Amino acid sequence: MFSEIAQYFRTEALPHIWCPGCGIGTITAAIVRSIKTLQLDQNNVVIVSGIGCSSRMPGYLDFNTLHTTHGRALAFATGIKASRPELDVFVIMGDGDASAIGGNHFIHAARRNIDLTAIIINNSIYGMTGGQSSPMTPHDKRATTSPYGNLERPFQILDVAKAAGATYGARATAFHNQLLTKLIVNAYNNPGFSVVETISQCPVSYGRRNKFKTPADMLMWQKEHAVMIGQKEAVGEDFSIGEIFKSEAPEYTGEYAKLRQRLKGE
Amino acid sequence: MFSEIAQYFRTEALPHIWCPGCGIGTITAAIVRSIKTLQLDQNNVVIVSGIGCSSRMPGYLDFNTLHTTHGRALAFATGIKASRPELDVFVIMGDGDASAIGGNHFIHAARRNIDLTAIIINNSIYGMTGGQSSPMTPHDKRATTSPYGNLERPFQILDVAKAAGATYGARATAFHNQLLTKLIVNAYNNPGFSVVETISQCPVSYGRRNKFKTPADMLMWQKEHAVMIGQKEAVGEDFSIGEIFKSEAPEYTGEYAKLRQRLKGE
Amino acid sequence: MVSHSSKIIVNQDWCKKCGICVAFCPKKVLGSDELGRVVIVEPEQCIACKICERLCPDFAINIEVNKDE
Amino acid sequence: MVSHSSKIIVNQDWCKKCGICVAFCPKKVLGSDELGRVVIVEPEQCIACKICERLCPDFAINIEVNKDE
Amino acid sequence: MSKARLMQGNEACAEGALAAGVKFYAGYPITPSTEIAEIMAEKLPLIGGTFIQMEDEIGSMAAIIGASLTGAKALTATSGPGFSLKQENLGYAIATEVPCVLVNVQRAGPSTGLPTSPAQADVMQARWGTHGDHPIIALCPSSVQECYELTVKAFNFAEEFRQPVIMLMDEVVGHLREKVELPDAVEVVERKKPSVSPDEYIPYANNESMIPAMANFGDGYRYHVTGLTHGENGLPTGKPAVAEKYLERLTRKLDPYLDRIQLYEEILLEDAELIVVAYGGPARSALEAVHAARSEGLNVGFFRPITIWPFPQEALEKYAGRQFLVPEMNSGQLVGEIERVVGRRQVQRLNRIDGELITPDQILQRIREVMTHVQ
Amino acid sequence: MSKARLMQGNEACAEGALAAGVKFYAGYPITPSTEIAEIMAEKLPLIGGTFIQMEDEIGSMAAIIGASLTGAKALTATSGPGFSLKQENLGYAIATEVPCVLVNVQRAGPSTGLPTSPAQADVMQARWGTHGDHPIIALCPSSVQECYELTVKAFNFAEEFRQPVIMLMDEVVGHLREKVELPDAVEVVERKKPSVSPDEYIPYANNESMIPAMANFGDGYRYHVTGLTHGENGLPTGKPAVAEKYLERLTRKLDPYLDRIQLYEEILLEDAELIVVAYGGPARSALEAVHAARSEGLNVGFFRPITIWPFPQEALEKYAGRQFLVPEMNSGQLVGEIERVVGRRQVQRLNRIDGELITPDQILQRIREVMTHVQ
Amino acid sequence: MAKQQFIFSGTGGQGLILAAIMLADAAVLAGQNVVQSQSYGPEARGGASKAEVIISDEAINYPKVQRPDLVLSISQEAYKKYGLTLDEKAKLIVDDTYVPETKPRSRNFYSLPLTKVTRTEFGSEQSANVVALGAVAAISRQLSLEHVREAVRQRAPKGTTDRNLKALELGWQLGVGALNQA
Amino acid sequence: MAKQQFIFSGTGGQGLILAAIMLADAAVLAGQNVVQSQSYGPEARGGASKAEVIISDEAINYPKVQRPDLVLSISQEAYKKYGLTLDEKAKLIVDDTYVPETKPRSRNFYSLPLTKVTRTEFGSEQSANVVALGAVAAISRQLSLEHVREAVRQRAPKGTTDRNLKALELGWQLGVGALNQA
Ligand SMILES: Cc1ncc(C[n+]2csc(CCOP(=O)(O)OP(=O)(O)O)c2C)c(N)n1
Ligand SMILES: Cc1ncc(C[n+]2csc(CCOP(=O)(O)OP(=O)(O)O)c2C)c(N)n1
Ligand code: SF4
Ligand code: SF4
Ligand code: SF4
Ligand code: SF4
Ligand code: SF4
Ligand code: SF4
Ligand SMILES: [Mg+2]
Ligand SMILES: [Mg+2]
């Protein structure tokens, strides 16, 4: 029932602007269910986003919400968290937002291992601007700026996150939204920089151009190509879901707090 | 003999501006020796850099040289290479230049696997601006903006390069400059994005603050802490040198050339 | 024995007629009318699995479950 | 037998007196004068290993080798 | 033979670039400019050119500069937020005198603003957006036909003057479809290559033309390019005398060519007591209003700067003493320059900032008001 | 008790920030502003504040906005190239009305230019550097003492008006060491917090003061912040009427407070036939020249805008009809605004762009020339 | 021919912009001056969508429709916005499926089964936009079927030409029929 | 006291800026107005380096040295730039090690063994800048040793106070000695 999570929504702002069948709405509900599961104080939650279809999410959610500039969500979030570490900060980004223009803030948030929960909504495309290829568009797929098929290779964004220093990485899909809820709970509980890549469907700007007839077809693709990590290797179009990596490292705001403490001692 | 490589220098611009004992000069000579070894046509070589002490290098070299804006060298180089793939393009960056402000261009050049030879001169500091910490300053070391020791963890830049899609990664030092020459030759020969991390000494902005009395002490540190890859594991302050990784993947300009060809066919 | 009775409520103001719920309902409870609107075809078949509710991108379908023990 | 004779040339205009060549010469061929200038102390000890030349950041030291076979 | 076609402003801009010989495009999508990138992605590989979608606008600006140094005519397109991001490297292109064309299809701001609504609020940014003193050329089309023609001109100016040129469009003309008649051939200018041997080549020569010849990377003329203040040889310098020489030339290099660069349109000015100065999309509303006012017997004229920067000061100065009305889709930008030129007291402002195209009625209304005052 | 100390301009700026209550600094090093970051890195953790070195200037600007939203007074500092990069997010802070202070210690440009030499070539960029219509406050100190005092004012203006404030310094004052006397206490303004309950809170209320009360993230007032054009509730809107209301308030919010914001200094103006208008470092050369001219019996006066933007137009307007001389370390920037205000024909320019501080002799020379003409 | 101003209104995804472009193309083929524009925006997704065309034999300055001569509405919302208060001198065309509720007009009103005809003919609603175009073109009486046909040929996506020409025909007939009835 | 203008010149890394700051500090302690500035730049690395101080009991507007009253040069290059053409009314101090070649001056010329004394006393050249400061302060006759001493105490890096005070003393004596000789 929506009523069970309605308290976390700005219902007056609904219905949302996303296209029919767009996965972002489904993911929004899954995220909200994670926050509900975590029983976080609504006043203490901050949701930060960049620019893109995915990044319109915070506007519908009844927390402290910040819709920033394209690609910069993590840098704003870093300011929030560094200044007031007790806040629970979630960061919502599109694949383009996070990995194209926002790539640098992404690797640096990872390097600092700052305690943010980053959710990348990967619909393989720039949705908001109408379907240009993103750094996460699969090889050979069509986009308005890849009219002959994408020549480039996509990022394996969780590999990049890990190499850069993130301490938690997981993947789910709009279809596997219960898993998503669980992974976000775990990501939040990781005391460091956590990334949850969420495969979503963009029927309008990606699906139509890539032979998906309906939104349901795209969800079906997610269902069929997702492979639970540890159970089977992901080959071809398949991809792993579940917790991809987890490790421990000093967290930025904690280190800073220790420094302040140490200086007091001196 | 300098005279053996003098033809590659703009000798009228010498002596250079680097401080006494700075490793950049040593590395410059090693790079030039690589180009000499490769017998590249001097008119066909382009050297691109960003901003920083290291990035002043191209001004001394007699090639097509481009000293760009801070952090953007790879983006300029991408334009050059994509527009005229037959040019031999080397990119010189400082650690800050490449990994701080330039981090995004770095991971995207890697993702595209564009055929550039990137040389990161890692002196663990922002040299040009007088010694602020960089994303490659080791944990706990001092810098003017880390007066109490660096709280952050440094990037393992070759790990990041690899995760992002680079197909060649190697490391040497100013001390191991013959190895460096060889690695740059190999990096050039790799048909894709190649990264050579070069540990350098900045006696003025890093050494003085971190208990190195003389430039020679810093070179000695390089000598003592470098471990040849495959021979021994690098623990503590030690680091590996040699070829760290190598792989194969489609190269951007090659793919683009194929596209043009394909379209002609149609 | 536990029996469920469930009520399916579609918020037509929010529904965007994407067809996802219809496609994924394992029991073919849901269907579309000629204008694409979601209609409840076989209410009694509903097993309250909530797949439709959770997959609906528009928070437009609600399954009200009455647990009778 | 191969014998080397080598000539050590320091370009004082470029030398910045960093002391690297002095510190790393395996044969202690090089030294510093009181103003820090590089001086050749024991020219005959030079084995033409070129460590000094290659480590010099200022291209200021040159080893000229005459191979006599 | 030219043939009439229906075309969108952004499309006409892309076609103009192709006609001018563009060979390289690097960009990052942003509404309302994206169509330009999309057309380039489709067409450039067909003609042996290169399209690359970069990771951001900063990289896009960098990449076109790099490509231009290899000899390619290079283009990028963006809108407000991206235009802000390109400023640093735009300044680099200016300082190093690398030809290129940057399209800004203006949308309503500040910040993300109203991404799909028109505005003219980057007019002053086009002049002053990058740090440091610098010259700039910015052209502003009012019709789809002009999107085509001015893009050709933009490339020609860029190549002739070794100067980045800004096509300052707005969402109105960018997204408008309109009948155009494309010429079969256009005049295309190529950059001046060195006529001397590599040994004699002075890459930043202080010659009379103020515009040094430019060699391609890879063509045997090895030289240095830097954003640092540099001497004629291209190498950085800190010497005030050398710096001054360079900066004097740089900041004044367009002066000898102003009469060719400063384009404008004049309609019904001879007996005009009130001159409506308008540009871009809103100029169309203004012209409609001027005609309507004339038909009411009001002596109103129309002046349209087509080149916004360098502002056609001399052309407008001739009319000092008359009354001016300046409708803009911003809270007053170019009007400041007009006040400077013809005197503040002579100028009336008319501004609209809600993302809607200013209407002929709004302007006519103000014309009537002003004219009653005048009489 | 105040005590005399020798202090550098950048240091005084940092001390001013601390006195004003700064709690957060995010930055990226760049000459000649870096000392400010270095002092912050040392001092903020000692007072429970936070210093963070970001990956670039874009991130730095973003981070201080984020921190300010949590209630911290926030500062960043940069120079030319970094100032260009900060423009997009500066516009965001303006659009969302998040208080913060951005220091730009100007160096010679364009592009990388002469990184260690002074200039005043970002004056127009400070006004127009970000896309879209927007208000701005920029303050310009001429002495080390003023670096301190104006930084305090910058924070006070930022907090009172919910407005990013630019400290537009130059390398001359930034790196100068000078005797200062710091007060024991300064007047510190805190931002207006909501006085109503969260339910009644209207985050972007169109109230009479034009400045909505601002709640901290985390304090129970949950609201939305967006760079999209938004309504009083903070939520994005595409409705022209709502957009207009917001933009009208935003672009005019400083108007009621101009008399407090527009600071300037007037010396020897009463009988001045020629007024030298100068600001920042060069104002010191100008004042020296004015005194020298007076001692030669020339009736020369001195007007120094301390607030550069909004330009103190009314204050200068009083002197319309006199002659003006405007020395600047650029190729003519603020002079355009002065020409607009007092009439182009009354104004003489004096520019220097080689990276050296303009000298009193240069100015005196021009004063003599102009005065001979006048007489 | 004096200035003729058209509004095509409905919801995003209905292909109205393409229909408007085709109309504009036809006008170019007829040697007229023409401008075509639309409202964009996230609102266009599922929300209201509008495309405009102005055709004239004189130069067209102001490019937006000020007083429409013909309005097409194929959603109730669009009807409310553009049709409800339309001057009775102007023509109003609505789709009888998606605009079930209309206010009576004394003249120039055409409630046509655009969607129904499309579904019947093609089994889906695709090409309803071109059916609508046919009706608009016929009812406007400003363009020849031949010019519109050519425009459809030019703009129809690859492989859909025949279908779209058929759709145009259907719409044109609906329009002609309606005119005859009136 | 009228305006007194000082130039400290040499090469980068010699600590001249710090010496100039200490002089300026001493002037503040003496209740004077003072400004201090320097030329920065990559050139400062190994290349020429210059620091300036102006002391006055009136307000100091233009902050750069126009006509120096005292120039210190501790490199040949710096001497060439600032010492060689110096007005003979102004005082010129050079280091006899690093400025071996000088043009004869009729008065106000002091070639002092600053480096040598430092090496002899401390075994290295570190603190030569403070030795130079001592000499400058003494020869300028503008400041009391006590004020300069206090300035050195304030600015000396941790753990180097004693050494620097000793260096100051040495320099002051060199200066006083030179004045007595002159
Ligand atoms: C600086 C800047 N550049 C470009 C844009 C245009 N833009 C808006 S959203 C977007 C990409 C959206 O893609 P993604 O981040 O994947 O989000 P999605 O819409 O797919 O959810 C772009 C390029 C912008 N708003 N700002
Ligand atoms: C946009 C921009 N930001 C900051 C600077 C200032 N800056 C110049 S070089 C540099 C860092 C130098 O460090 P690194 O890249 O490691 O090079 P190094 O000097 O150590 O060789 C910085 C921050 C600049 N020039 N441009
Ligand atoms: S464009 Fe794609 S991502 Fe954006 S709302 Fe529509 S379907 Fe979703
Ligand atoms: S500051 Fe460091 S990196 Fe730069 S030239 Fe000096 S020693 Fe080398
Ligand atoms: S709850 Fe399950 S069975 Fe019931 S309608 Fe939804 S999907 Fe079908
Ligand atoms: S999934 Fe939701 S929006 Fe889609 S058709 Fe079903 S109820 Fe409507
Ligand atoms: S070549 Fe080798 S032995 Fe000879 S001086 Fe150099 S380092 Fe010493
Ligand atoms: S290494 Fe080179 S610069 Fe250093 S002292 Fe030796 S010769 Fe001089
Ligand atoms: Mg996306
Ligand atoms: Mg470095």
Side-chain angles (χ1 to χ4, degrees), chain F residues 156-268:
Chain F
N156 287 349
F157 286 162
E159 298 290 324
E160 177 173 0
F161 305 123
R162 291 191 63 171
Q163 169 74 25
V165 176
I166 296 169
M167 275 293 289
L168 198 60
M169 295 171 49
D170 55 53
E171 196 271 346
V172 176
V173 293
H175 275 163
L176 191 67
R177 283 189 189 77
E178 192 164 22
K179 188 174 84 173
V180 294
E181 307 199 24
L182 304 191
D184 293 321
V186 296
E187 196 213 330
V188 167
V189 177
E190 304 296 338
R191 66 185 72 163
K192 199 169 74 199
K193 292 272 154 57
S195 54
V196 296
S197 72
D199 284 351
E200 293 162 284
Y201 180 49
I202 302 170
Y204 289 94
N206 242 320
N207 61 34
E208 219 179 312
S209 78
M210 314 268 276
I211 317 292
M214 182 173 175
N216 297 342
F217 273 17
D219 282 3
Y221 293 77
R222 302 187 300 268
Y223 66 104
H224 189 56
V225 177
T226 179
L228 285 167
T229 300
H230 44 269
E232 291 186 90
N233 62 1
L235 295 174
T237 181
K239 295 207 183 83
V242 184
E244 191 182 359
K245 242 184 172 173
Y246 155 67
L247 287 166
E248 279 289 327
R249 180 178 63 74
L250 187 75
T251 51
R252 298 190 180 183
K253 65 192 271 195
L254 301 178
D255 290 0
Y257 308 100
L258 286 183
D259 53 342
R260 278 203 289 129
I261 296 172
Q262 290 172 332
L263 309 172
Y264 55 90
E265 184 181 26
E266 300 183 311
I267 293 176
L268 298 168

Side-chain angles (χ1 to χ4, degrees), chain F residues 27 53 108 132-133 143 179 198-199 213 249 266 310 314 345:
Chain F
Q53 187 171 309
D133 287 299
S143 69
K179 188 174 84 173
D199 284 351
R249 180 178 63 74
E266 300 183 311
E314 286 71 24
R345 265 161 255 286

Side-chain angles (χ1 to χ4, degrees), chain A residues 17-24 52-54 123 125-131 200-206, chain G residues 45:
Chain A
I17 62 155
W18 298 310
C19 306
C22 174
I24 302 172
C53 295
S54 315
N123 55 13
I125 203 81
Y126 292 165
M128 179 61 99
T129 44
S200 180
Q201 72 276 16
C202 168
V204 169
S205 296
Y206 182 79
Chain G
R45 300 175 184 174

Side-chain angles (χ1 to χ4, degrees), chain E residues 26-320:
Chain E
Y28 190 81
I30 185 166
T31 308
S33 76
T34 309
E35 292 84 359
I36 299 171
E38 291 170 340
I39 295 168
M40 289 291 143
E42 188 194 328
K43 302 214 165 165
L44 278 173
L46 294 167
I47 59 159
T50 307
F51 167 89
I52 185 166
Q53 186 172 310
M54 293 296 288
E55 47 274 21
D56 62 17
E57 286 88 350
I58 298 173
S60 306
M61 193 67 213
I64 67 165
I65 298 168
S68 182
L69 282 164
T70 71
K73 291 189 182 179
L75 175 68
T76 189
T78 191
S79 301
F83 194 53
S84 287
L85 289 172
K86 282 181 201 282
Q87 292 300 330
E88 189 199 7
N89 281 339
L90 172 62
Y92 181 88
I94 295 169
T96 54
E97 302 176 71
V98 176
C100 54
V101 175
L102 191 176
V103 181
N104 175 6
V105 186
Q106 293 167 93
R107 64 190 220 182
S111 195
T112 314
L114 295 161
T116 54
S117 301
Q120 302 183 291
D122 309 345
V123 168
M124 294 301 283
Q125 186 189 23
R127 175 67 192 89
W128 300 109
T130 191
H131 63 279
D133 286 300
H134 59 277
I136 198 72
I137 300 176
L139 308 178
C140 182
S142 280
S143 68
V144 175
Q145 182 77 29
E146 215 171 44
C147 287
Y148 179 89
E149 288 164 6
L150 290 184
T151 304
V152 175
K153 268 226 174 342
F155 273 97
N156 287 351
F157 286 162
E159 298 290 325
E160 178 173 1
F161 305 122
R162 291 191 65 171
Q163 170 73 24
V165 176
I166 296 169
M167 276 291 290
L168 199 60
M169 295 172 47
D170 56 53
E171 196 271 348
V172 176
V173 293
H175 275 163
L176 191 68
R177 283 190 188 76
E178 192 164 22
K179 189 174 83 173
V180 294
E181 307 200 25
L182 303 192
D184 293 322
V186 296
E187 196 213 330
V188 167
V189 176
E190 305 296 337
R191 66 185 71 163
K192 200 169 73 199
K193 292 272 155 56
S195 55
V196 297
S197 72
D199 284 350
E200 293 161 284
Y201 179 50
I202 301 170
Y204 289 95
N206 243 319
N207 62 34
E208 218 179 315
S209 78
M210 313 268 277
I211 318 292
M214 182 173 174
N216 297 342
F217 273 17
D219 280 4
Y221 293 78
R222 301 188 301 268
Y223 66 104
H224 189 56
V225 177
T226 178
L228 284 167
T229 300
H230 44 268
E232 292 186 272
N233 61 2
L235 295 175
T237 180
K239 295 209 182 83
V242 185
E244 191 181 1
K245 240 184 172 171
Y246 155 67
L247 288 165
E248 278 290 327
R249 181 178 63 73
L250 186 76
T251 52
R252 299 191 178 182
K253 66 193 269 195
L254 302 178
D255 290 1
Y257 308 100
L258 285 183
D259 54 342
R260 277 203 291 130
I261 296 171
Q262 291 172 333
L263 311 171
Y264 55 90
E265 183 182 26
E266 301 183 313
I267 293 177
L268 298 168
L269 287 186
E270 207 159 313
D271 62 343
E273 293 156 52
L274 173 69
I275 299 176
V276 181
V277 182
Y279 55 97
R284 303 173 68 122
S285 312
L287 186 55
E288 185 136 333
V290 165
H291 285 309
R294 280 277 172 180
S295 71
E296 290 180 13
L298 300 169
N299 284 346
V300 180
F302 175 78
F303 183 96
R304 178 166 69 93
I306 297 172
T307 302
I308 298 287
W309 305 114
F311 184 76
Q313 166 163 337
E314 286 72 25
L316 195 68
E317 223 169 358
K318 297 185 308 235
Y319 305 105

